[in-house]
Amino acid sequence: MTTATTPTTRPRTPESREKPPSRRAGDIDSFRGLAALSTVAFHVRQEYTVYDAQGTHPPIDTPGVDALFSFEALDLFFVLSAFLLTSSYARAAIDGGSTRPARAFLFRRAIRILPLYVLAILVIWATRNPTLPGDWRDLAEHLTFTHVFDQERIFYTLGPTWSLSLEVLFYLVLAGLGPLAVRACRPLRRRGSRVAVCAAGCLLLYAAPLAWITYAHYGLGVPHTDWVAYFGPQARFGGFAAGMGLAVARAALGDRARLTRRTALPLTALTLAGLFCLSLLSRQSGPEGFTTTYYHPLASALWMLLLFSTFHIRQLTFWNRLLTARWLTLVGLVSYSLFIWHEPVMLLLHNAGLLPEGAAGFPRALLIVLLAALLAATASYWLIEYPASLLGRLKDNQGRPRDFYPEPALR
């Protein structure tokens, strides 16, 4: 009988071995790059969309093409982040072992997120509030990641960073639930029971936002413009739950049931088609339509399937090789900086009159913003992100201060 503290081991055949870490890291960076590029395209399209009494007029008339540029990929960030960060907890809960203390986990997350974020918030807030006292509530909310709960200021200063409020909240939730799940599973002697407990927890976390969206939309009649209702954690946590579920599935399966190329590629194609159709239908159904209302839970589930068909495979596929294109992994490397700076860069270019006007100028504007934002992101990565990452060496894996000058052992 296997216990939580004595994981089973089994011989691995060449076909069932994990992909080399560098290859999987390349896939992950590429997904980050795709999500960041999609986010840039989404916001440039949004900038060129006309809103009037007759409705919404995007810069591209063709519905299929517009669905590509209006594609919302933030859910991919949520699913991918939750998958990566939950994996160690899932393995420890199902097969035993230890995890990093919460203080070590939160410290590493802080040095990953805070230096660039705080600097960007301070710089952009200062430029938009040139005279004191300025909107101090906006600054305080952004620095404490609480602007997602403010209907008026949720998109102030740095519009896309409402999602970082949810990201930080997820870190806190995972730091509490992860060790709790490990302790809860430890007394269970059957591995299947441990898997069931973890899966049930993920399913509950995924179902709760679905229930809230249904109640808010159909029960209370809350309009889609109530940003706090539909952008807050009660509505968007499903993306993180889907990523947690993927981590549990991967830990539970281990080397078993890996997908062959004949299975992985059709599943990948169907999932990508599903994401495209979801984006297309959400544009056609209107802001209060069914597919728009449930867009993010559905998209999160599809992203989870796409990541599963990418990572849980026996041999590399054409899709994996496409993902590890050098240019795409480089974009993924600077994706956080690209996410942070693309909107300020776009608005700066717009205010300076450097972007073409009218719907016909959208393709050129997108190219200009992409190039400028990528240059800014590359500089930001090497000047801010990378140096800040070196702060991780200040603490060991247990979250304790690292002793750089140990006393010599007495002989």
Side-chain angles (χ1 to χ4, degrees):
M1 186 70 67
T2 304
T3 65
T5 56
T6 58
T8 58
T9 59
R10 59 185 60 84
R12 295 182 177 184
T13 64
E15 288 186 350
S16 66
R17 288 175 184 163
E18 288 275 3
K19 291 183 293 179
S22 59
R23 173 68 69 172
R24 176 175 162 180
D27 289 347
I28 291 170
D29 277 343
S30 295
F31 273 118
R32 290 189 179 119
L34 287 172
L37 291 173
S38 176
T39 302
V40 175
F42 177 85
H43 287 124
V44 176
R45 172 197 177 272
Q46 196 174 53
E47 181 70 15
Y48 276 77
T49 297
V50 177
Y51 304 90
D52 56 27
Q54 285 70 44
T56 301
H57 309 284
I60 299 176
D61 293 331
T62 306
V65 178
D66 183 58
L68 290 175
F69 286 99
S70 61
F71 194 74
E72 296 183 64
L74 276 177
D75 297 297
L76 173 56
F77 279 124
F78 295 158
V79 174
L80 189 58
S81 177
F83 164 62
L84 295 173
L85 297 177
T86 308
S87 292
S88 61
Y89 290 109
R91 289 191 298 267
I94 294 172
D95 288 323
S98 60
T99 58
R100 287 177 178 173
R103 63 178 180 272
F105 169 76
L106 293 176
F107 172 73
R108 292 187 176 276
R109 289 293 89 203
I111 63 175
R112 176 71 180 94
I113 294 294
L114 291 181
L116 175 58
Y117 174 80
V118 172
L119 177 63
I121 291 296
L122 292 176
V123 169
I124 296 170
W125 184 89
T127 59
R128 296 179 185 175
N129 293 266
T131 58
L132 296 178
D135 191 345
W136 283 101
R137 181 177 173 182
D138 171 50
L139 178 61
E141 288 181 352
H142 275 78
L143 291 178
T144 56
F145 296 98
T146 55
H147 54 293
V148 73
F149 302 108
D150 188 329
Q151 174 70 14
E152 180 183 355
R153 294 174 177 82
I154 183 173
F155 303 126
Y156 275 24
T157 303
L158 262 176
T161 59
W162 64 267
S163 61
L164 285 181
S165 296
L166 303 186
E167 186 85 10
V168 170
L169 180 60
F170 169 70
Y171 297 159
L172 299 175
V173 170
L174 184 60
L177 288 183
L180 183 62
V182 174
R183 288 196 294 270
C185 289
R186 189 167 292 139
L188 303 176
R189 296 181 62 82
R190 292 175 57 86
R191 189 175 188 272
S193 300
R194 299 194 293 274
V195 172
V197 167
C198 294
C202 296
L203 185 60
L204 179 62
L205 290 173
Y206 181 80
L210 274 175
W212 163 253
I213 292 170
T214 302
Y215 177 64
H217 185 75
Y218 295 104
L220 301 178
V222 179
H224 74 282
T225 52
D226 191 322
W227 314 125
V228 175
Y230 294 113
F231 283 70
Q234 74 281 0
R236 292 295 187 93
F237 210 80
F240 296 108
M244 297 170 75
L246 177 61
V248 169
R250 291 271 288 150
L253 291 172
D255 288 337
R256 294 179 292 272
R258 287 187 176 273
L259 303 179
T260 64
R261 290 175 181 171
R262 291 184 178 180
T263 305
L265 282 176
L267 181 58
T268 297
L270 286 173
T271 308
L272 290 172
L275 287 164
F276 171 77
C277 291
L278 183 62
S279 178
L280 180 62
L281 291 174
S282 67
R283 303 302 157 196
Q284 295 176 344
S285 67
E288 303 292 349
F290 178 87
T291 51
T292 305
T293 301
Y294 292 101
Y295 176 89
H296 298 287
L298 294 173
S300 298
L302 289 171
W303 285 123
M304 181 185 70
L305 286 175
L306 181 62
L307 292 175
F308 182 82
S309 68
T310 302
F311 296 145
H312 199 73
I313 55 176
R314 291 184 183 178
Q315 304 96 18
L316 297 177
T317 66
F318 166 77
W319 171 244
N320 296 103
R321 295 186 178 92
L322 182 65
L323 283 176
T324 50
R326 181 63 174 169
W327 70 270
L328 191 53
T329 56
L330 290 176
V331 173
L333 183 67
V334 302
S335 58
Y336 180 43
S337 284
L338 181 59
F339 175 78
I340 289 291
W341 294 116
H342 76 274
E343 185 193 62
V345 166
M346 177 182 69
L347 295 179
L348 180 65
L349 292 171
H350 173 77
N351 294 335
L354 298 177
L355 295 182
E357 297 182 358
F362 168 71
R364 285 178 293 152
L366 178 59
L367 181 60
I368 293 170
V369 172
L370 271 175
L371 292 176
L374 282 170
L375 287 174
T378 302
S380 173
Y381 175 80
W382 290 111
L383 295 176
I384 304 172
E385 278 195 76
Y386 179 74
S389 69
L390 300 179
L391 294 173
R393 300 178 183 180
L394 295 176
K395 294 182 181 293
D396 61 19
N397 289 335
Q398 297 303 311
R400 297 185 294 261
R402 193 182 299 275
D403 188 359
F404 290 96
Y405 304 101
E407 293 291 336
L410 298 177
R411 292 178 181 265

